């Protein structure tokens, strides 16, 4: 069945009368206008604009307790709670790691039924839906389709933290948050906002995670360097079924292609594949990154 338990995801709950304004004031995407039962991709950044945590923010209907559930990497939920508490100050909010009680599943294709809160994945329609529900019920889905889910995600061009980028090192533009609804350029300030806005308006995001296709259907080891001639262009993240996601300096890729060089990773030739949602320039295109807002 097209559903799977996601064992590496956890859940943080944020409630209280100031929960909406609290989250909206510190994360990259708009929370203030998030309708109950819907979600957005968001991140909490360093003051220098790099991603410390990313998560899907789900607005919970009042009938189900209200507040927000953050679908986040389980390995980071404890630290995420601590970081959120650091910004709490006098805000009337309650922040709790509920990863022991709640778990996350992915649903796609015609699959729509799951316990708990089911919502559309806000990043891309192709990813289907997510569910946050009682851990025992979600774990009962099993992991048989987990490889299918990640193969679909990779083919769609959607990166995942810890697999395709390292927390504390990447900017939102580099991991396509500007392309997939993870950054608001219209709302007020948030942590790291000045750097992100500067990258947007100056079009200085030269490094991007992009889908790649490997010759012959094989894939290199995750993390393999992408090279052309004697120059390193970037590195590969997660791979599956002849495809992968790679963090690349696109200007260097363009130079390599112009020189007639073929990029490789782990000895395998690769080609870049522009996803349908991308509005930034690929090697060979002349248009710069568009400035929004």
């Amino acid at each position: 069945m097209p559903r799977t338990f996601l064992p590496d995801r956890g859940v943080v709950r944020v409630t209280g009368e100031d929960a909406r304004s609290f989250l909206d004031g510190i994360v990259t995407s708009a929370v203030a206008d998030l309708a109950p039962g819907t979600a957005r991709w968001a991140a909490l950044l360093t003051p220098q604009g790099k991603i410390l945590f990313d998560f899907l923010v789900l607005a919970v209907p009042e009938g189900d307790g209200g507040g927000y559930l953050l679908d986040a990497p389980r390995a980071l939920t404890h630290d995420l709670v601590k970081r959120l508490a650091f910004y709490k100050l006098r805000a009337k909010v309650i922040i709790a790691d509920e990863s022991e009680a709640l778990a996350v599943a992915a649903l796609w294709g015609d699959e729509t039924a799951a316990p708990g809160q089911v919502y559309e994945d806000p990043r891309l329609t192709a990813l289907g839906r997510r569910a946050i529900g009682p851990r025992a019920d979600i774990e009962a889905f099993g992991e048989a389709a987990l490889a299918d889910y990640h193969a679909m995600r990779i083919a769609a061009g959607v990166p995942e933290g810890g697999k395709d980028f390292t927390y504390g090192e990447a900017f939102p533009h580099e991991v396509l948050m500007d392309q997939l609804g993870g950054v608001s350029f219209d709302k007020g300030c948030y942590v790291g906002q000045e750097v992100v806005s500067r990258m947007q308006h100056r079009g200085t995001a030269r490094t991007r995670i992009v889908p790649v296709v490997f010759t012959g259907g094989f894939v290199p080891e995750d993390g393999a360097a992408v090279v052309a001639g004697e120059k390193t262009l970037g590195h590969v993240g997660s791979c599956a079924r002849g495809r992968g996601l790679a963090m690349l300096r696109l200007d260097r890729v363009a130079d390599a292609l112009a020189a007639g060089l073929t990029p490789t990773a782990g000895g395998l030739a690769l080609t870049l594949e522009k996803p349908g949602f991308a509005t930034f320039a690929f090697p060979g295109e002349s248009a710069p990154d568009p400035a929004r807002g």
Side-chain angles (χ1 to χ4, degrees):
M1 298 178 69
R3 66 183 190 183
T4 184
F5 162 52
L6 299 176
D8 59 352
R9 304 298 291 183
V11 181
V12 171
R13 188 186 297 273
V14 181
T15 55
E17 62 183 271
D18 294 336
R20 175 180 296 183
S21 58
F22 168 69
L23 286 174
D24 196 65
I26 60 174
V27 305
T28 55
S29 62
V31 175
D33 64 349
L34 196 56
T38 65
R40 284 200 178 105
W41 192 16
L44 186 58
L45 310 180
T46 67
Q48 295 75 33
K50 294 187 177 182
I51 301 170
L52 283 175
F53 309 91
D54 75 317
F55 35 80
L56 302 181
V57 183
L58 171 66
V60 180
E62 288 298 325
D64 294 316
Y68 300 88
L69 294 176
L70 311 186
D71 169 351
R74 191 176 187 192
L76 299 180
T77 54
H78 176 73
D79 290 339
L80 174 57
V81 168
K82 291 174 61 178
R83 178 64 64 158
L84 291 173
F86 174 80
Y87 288 112
K88 178 180 174 181
L89 301 178
R90 296 182 180 179
K92 296 178 180 179
V93 294
I94 300 171
I95 305 161
D97 187 348
E98 299 207 356
S99 301
E100 291 297 323
L102 299 175
V104 182
L107 320 168
W108 64 100
D110 296 329
E111 186 67 59
T112 60
Q117 302 289 320
V118 178
Y119 63 98
E120 299 292 326
D121 192 310
R123 297 168 294 180
L124 201 63
T125 300
L127 295 185
R129 291 152 293 283
R130 309 276 280 199
I132 299 177
R135 175 160 289 278
D137 295 337
I138 295 293
E139 286 183 344
F141 285 0
E143 300 176 43
L146 185 59
D148 294 332
Y149 167 76
H150 283 296
M152 175 187 66
R153 175 185 63 79
I154 291 166
V158 180
E160 190 167 295
K163 297 181 176 68
D164 302 301
F165 64 92
T166 301
Y167 290 107
E169 297 183 5
F171 293 100
H173 282 77
E174 294 178 337
V175 308
L176 311 184
M177 294 195 75
D178 64 313
Q179 304 288 301
L180 295 167
V183 180
S184 171
F185 296 102
D186 300 319
K187 73 168 191 168
C189 294
Y190 54 86
V191 180
Q193 182 260 348
E194 183 177 349
V195 177
V196 176
S197 293
R198 187 185 310 126
M199 292 184 72
Q200 175 72 8
H201 293 294
R202 293 182 181 178
T204 55
R206 294 178 295 180
T207 300
R208 292 279 193 175
I209 291 178
V210 297
V212 295
V213 181
F214 298 98
T215 301
F218 299 101
V219 297
E221 292 185 1
D222 293 359
V226 178
V227 299
E230 297 181 355
K231 290 189 176 181
T232 299
L233 311 180
H235 64 273
V236 172
S238 52
C239 299
R241 301 172 187 173
R243 294 175 176 270
L245 295 174
M247 176 87 78
L248 301 174
R249 274 284 298 265
L250 297 186
D251 55 337
R252 294 180 184 175
V253 174
D255 290 343
L257 296 178
L261 300 174
T262 299
T264 64
L268 299 173
L270 61 86
T271 56
L272 279 64
E273 186 173 79
K274 186 172 183 177
F277 60 78
T279 61
F280 57 91
F282 253 50
E285 298 178 348
S286 58
D289 281 354
R292 302 177 191 169

